[in-house]
mmCIF file of all heavy atoms in Angstrom:
data_model
loop_
_atom_site.group_PDB
_atom_site.id
_atom_site.type_symbol
_atom_site.label_atom_id
_atom_site.label_comp_id
_atom_site.label_asym_id
_atom_site.label_seq_id
_atom_site.Cartn_x
_atom_site.Cartn_y
_atom_site.Cartn_z
ATOM 1 N N SER A 267 -18.962 11.522 13.347
ATOM 2 C CA SER A 267 -19.528 12.793 13.779
ATOM 3 C C SER A 267 -20.343 13.429 12.657
ATOM 4 O O SER A 267 -21.445 13.946 12.893
ATOM 5 C CB SER A 267 -18.411 13.745 14.220
ATOM 6 O OG SER A 267 -17.714 13.218 15.328
ATOM 7 N N LEU A 268 -19.809 13.386 11.439
ATOM 8 C CA LEU A 268 -20.560 13.915 10.307
ATOM 9 C C LEU A 268 -21.822 13.102 10.079
ATOM 10 O O LEU A 268 -22.897 13.661 9.797
ATOM 11 C CB LEU A 268 -19.684 13.903 9.044
ATOM 12 C CG LEU A 268 -20.375 14.368 7.756
ATOM 13 C CD1 LEU A 268 -20.919 15.787 7.910
ATOM 14 C CD2 LEU A 268 -19.416 14.275 6.562
ATOM 15 N N GLN A 269 -21.733 11.802 10.222
ATOM 16 C CA GLN A 269 -22.906 10.948 10.047
ATOM 17 C C GLN A 269 -23.988 11.300 11.070
ATOM 18 O O GLN A 269 -25.180 11.324 10.751
ATOM 19 C CB GLN A 269 -22.501 9.480 10.187
ATOM 20 C CG GLN A 269 -23.615 8.494 9.923
ATOM 21 C CD GLN A 269 -23.103 7.084 9.761
ATOM 22 O OE1 GLN A 269 -22.619 6.684 8.708
ATOM 23 N NE2 GLN A 269 -23.180 6.310 10.824
ATOM 24 N N ALA A 270 -23.574 11.589 12.302
ATOM 25 C CA ALA A 270 -24.538 11.979 13.332
ATOM 26 C C ALA A 270 -25.200 13.306 12.987
ATOM 27 O O ALA A 270 -26.394 13.513 13.256
ATOM 28 C CB ALA A 270 -23.845 12.068 14.690
ATOM 29 N N LEU A 271 -24.452 14.210 12.380
ATOM 30 C CA LEU A 271 -25.036 15.484 11.958
ATOM 31 C C LEU A 271 -26.058 15.264 10.847
ATOM 32 O O LEU A 271 -27.130 15.879 10.837
ATOM 33 C CB LEU A 271 -23.935 16.433 11.471
ATOM 34 C CG LEU A 271 -23.036 17.045 12.547
ATOM 35 C CD1 LEU A 271 -21.913 17.849 11.902
ATOM 36 C CD2 LEU A 271 -23.859 17.936 13.479
ATOM 37 N N VAL A 272 -25.736 14.392 9.904
ATOM 38 C CA VAL A 272 -26.638 14.128 8.782
ATOM 39 C C VAL A 272 -27.944 13.497 9.259
ATOM 40 O O VAL A 272 -29.027 13.817 8.756
ATOM 41 C CB VAL A 272 -25.949 13.228 7.735
ATOM 42 C CG1 VAL A 272 -26.935 12.797 6.649
ATOM 43 C CG2 VAL A 272 -24.772 13.958 7.093
ATOM 44 N N THR A 273 -27.851 12.610 10.224
ATOM 45 C CA THR A 273 -29.046 11.927 10.727
ATOM 46 C C THR A 273 -29.708 12.672 11.880
ATOM 47 O O THR A 273 -30.747 12.235 12.382
ATOM 48 C CB THR A 273 -28.697 10.509 11.214
ATOM 49 O OG1 THR A 273 -27.799 10.599 12.330
ATOM 50 C CG2 THR A 273 -28.068 9.691 10.101
ATOM 51 N N GLY A 274 -29.100 13.773 12.336
ATOM 52 C CA GLY A 274 -29.635 14.460 13.493
ATOM 53 C C GLY A 274 -29.488 13.647 14.760
ATOM 54 O O GLY A 274 -30.221 13.866 15.728
ATOM 55 N N ALA A 275 -28.532 12.708 14.772
ATOM 56 C CA ALA A 275 -28.300 11.811 15.919
ATOM 57 C C ALA A 275 -29.587 11.112 16.337
ATOM 58 O O ALA A 275 -29.782 10.810 17.524
ATOM 59 C CB ALA A 275 -27.687 12.579 17.099
ATOM 60 N N LEU A 276 -30.452 10.840 15.366
ATOM 61 C CA LEU A 276 -31.752 10.235 15.654
ATOM 62 C C LEU A 276 -31.612 8.875 16.336
ATOM 63 O O LEU A 276 -32.263 8.598 17.339
ATOM 64 C CB LEU A 276 -32.541 10.090 14.346
ATOM 65 C CG LEU A 276 -33.903 9.412 14.403
ATOM 66 C CD1 LEU A 276 -34.893 10.281 15.172
ATOM 67 C CD2 LEU A 276 -34.427 9.131 12.990
ATOM 68 N N HIS A 277 -30.752 8.039 15.793
ATOM 69 C CA HIS A 277 -30.618 6.688 16.330
ATOM 70 C C HIS A 277 -29.804 6.677 17.626
ATOM 71 O O HIS A 277 -30.076 5.868 18.519
ATOM 72 C CB HIS A 277 -29.974 5.775 15.291
ATOM 73 C CG HIS A 277 -30.640 5.863 13.957
ATOM 74 N ND1 HIS A 277 -31.987 5.662 13.783
ATOM 75 C CD2 HIS A 277 -30.147 6.149 12.715
ATOM 76 C CE1 HIS A 277 -32.301 5.816 12.504
ATOM 77 N NE2 HIS A 277 -31.203 6.101 11.844
ATOM 78 N N GLU A 278 -28.817 7.568 17.708
ATOM 79 C CA GLU A 278 -28.057 7.679 18.952
ATOM 80 C C GLU A 278 -28.977 8.081 20.108
ATOM 81 O O GLU A 278 -28.826 7.597 21.236
ATOM 82 C CB GLU A 278 -26.932 8.707 18.789
ATOM 83 C CG GLU A 278 -25.749 8.246 17.971
ATOM 84 C CD GLU A 278 -25.947 8.408 16.461
ATOM 85 O OE1 GLU A 278 -27.063 8.787 16.050
ATOM 86 O OE2 GLU A 278 -24.999 8.137 15.709
ATOM 87 N N ASP A 279 -29.914 8.964 19.831
ATOM 88 C CA ASP A 279 -30.877 9.375 20.859
ATOM 89 C C ASP A 279 -31.717 8.184 21.324
ATOM 90 O O ASP A 279 -31.973 8.022 22.522
ATOM 91 C CB ASP A 279 -31.782 10.479 20.303
ATOM 92 C CG ASP A 279 -32.818 10.936 21.318
ATOM 93 O OD1 ASP A 279 -32.446 11.576 22.311
ATOM 94 O OD2 ASP A 279 -34.021 10.651 21.112
ATOM 95 N N GLY A 280 -32.136 7.351 20.373
ATOM 96 C CA GLY A 280 -32.910 6.166 20.729
ATOM 97 C C GLY A 280 -32.111 5.201 21.575
ATOM 98 O O GLY A 280 -32.625 4.630 22.551
ATOM 99 N N LEU A 281 -30.835 5.017 21.234
ATOM 100 C CA LEU A 281 -29.981 4.128 22.016
ATOM 101 C C LEU A 281 -29.829 4.641 23.439
ATOM 102 O O LEU A 281 -29.932 3.871 24.406
ATOM 103 C CB LEU A 281 -28.599 4.009 21.354
ATOM 104 C CG LEU A 281 -27.555 3.190 22.118
ATOM 105 C CD1 LEU A 281 -27.965 1.728 22.179
ATOM 106 C CD2 LEU A 281 -26.175 3.343 21.473
ATOM 107 N N ALA A 282 -29.585 5.940 23.589
ATOM 108 C CA ALA A 282 -29.401 6.518 24.920
ATOM 109 C C ALA A 282 -30.674 6.393 25.757
ATOM 110 O O ALA A 282 -30.618 6.043 26.944
ATOM 111 C CB ALA A 282 -28.990 7.988 24.799
ATOM 112 N N ASP A 283 -31.825 6.668 25.145
ATOM 113 C CA ASP A 283 -33.089 6.567 25.876
ATOM 114 C C ASP A 283 -33.365 5.131 26.316
ATOM 115 O O ASP A 283 -33.844 4.887 27.431
ATOM 116 C CB ASP A 283 -34.240 7.086 25.016
ATOM 117 C CG ASP A 283 -34.245 8.601 24.896
ATOM 118 O OD1 ASP A 283 -33.579 9.256 25.712
ATOM 119 O OD2 ASP A 283 -34.908 9.129 23.981
ATOM 120 N N CYS A 284 -33.068 4.173 25.447
ATOM 121 C CA CYS A 284 -33.269 2.774 25.807
ATOM 122 C C CYS A 284 -32.331 2.357 26.935
ATOM 123 O O CYS A 284 -32.743 1.632 27.860
ATOM 124 C CB CYS A 284 -33.041 1.874 24.592
ATOM 125 S SG CYS A 284 -34.407 1.846 23.427
ATOM 126 N N ALA A 285 -31.079 2.786 26.864
ATOM 127 C CA ALA A 285 -30.128 2.431 27.918
ATOM 128 C C ALA A 285 -30.588 2.983 29.261
ATOM 129 O O ALA A 285 -30.529 2.284 30.287
ATOM 130 C CB ALA A 285 -28.741 2.960 27.566
ATOM 131 N N ASP A 286 -31.059 4.222 29.269
ATOM 132 C CA ASP A 286 -31.552 4.816 30.515
ATOM 133 C C ASP A 286 -32.804 4.091 31.008
ATOM 134 O O ASP A 286 -32.943 3.806 32.203
ATOM 135 C CB ASP A 286 -31.866 6.301 30.303
ATOM 136 C CG ASP A 286 -30.620 7.170 30.327
ATOM 137 O OD1 ASP A 286 -29.642 6.787 30.983
ATOM 138 O OD2 ASP A 286 -30.633 8.246 29.691
ATOM 139 N N GLY A 287 -33.730 3.824 30.076
ATOM 140 C CA GLY A 287 -34.983 3.188 30.467
ATOM 141 C C GLY A 287 -34.797 1.773 30.962
ATOM 142 O O GLY A 287 -35.252 1.416 32.062
ATOM 143 N N PHE A 288 -34.115 0.957 30.183
ATOM 144 C CA PHE A 288 -33.911 -0.435 30.568
ATOM 145 C C PHE A 288 -32.959 -0.560 31.759
ATOM 146 O O PHE A 288 -33.066 -1.488 32.559
ATOM 147 C CB PHE A 288 -33.384 -1.246 29.392
ATOM 148 C CG PHE A 288 -34.372 -1.391 28.272
ATOM 149 C CD1 PHE A 288 -33.944 -1.473 26.948
ATOM 150 C CD2 PHE A 288 -35.730 -1.447 28.523
ATOM 151 C CE1 PHE A 288 -34.852 -1.612 25.910
ATOM 152 C CE2 PHE A 288 -36.646 -1.582 27.489
ATOM 153 C CZ PHE A 288 -36.214 -1.664 26.185
ATOM 154 N N GLY A 289 -32.022 0.381 31.851
ATOM 155 C CA GLY A 289 -31.065 0.315 32.946
ATOM 156 C C GLY A 289 -31.610 0.853 34.257
ATOM 157 O O GLY A 289 -31.229 0.377 35.328
ATOM 158 N N GLY A 290 -32.504 1.849 34.185
ATOM 159 C CA GLY A 290 -32.976 2.487 35.403
ATOM 160 C C GLY A 290 -34.402 2.166 35.800
ATOM 161 O O GLY A 290 -34.790 2.380 36.958
ATOM 162 N N GLY A 291 -35.214 1.658 34.880
ATOM 163 C CA GLY A 291 -36.607 1.387 35.193
ATOM 164 C C GLY A 291 -36.825 -0.037 35.669
ATOM 165 O O GLY A 291 -36.153 -0.964 35.204
#
């Protein structure tokens, strides 16, 4: 959780967007 705060959850956001895109498009 602290690591996500330090990075601004930048990579987690990319993972979520890819999962939605590849899964739904």
Side-chain angles (χ1 to χ4, degrees):
S267 298
L268 177 58
Q269 184 167 280
L271 287 174
V272 173
T273 64
L276 177 68
H277 310 305
E278 285 84 354
D279 179 70
L281 176 66
D283 286 343
C284 282
D286 281 332
F288 293 148

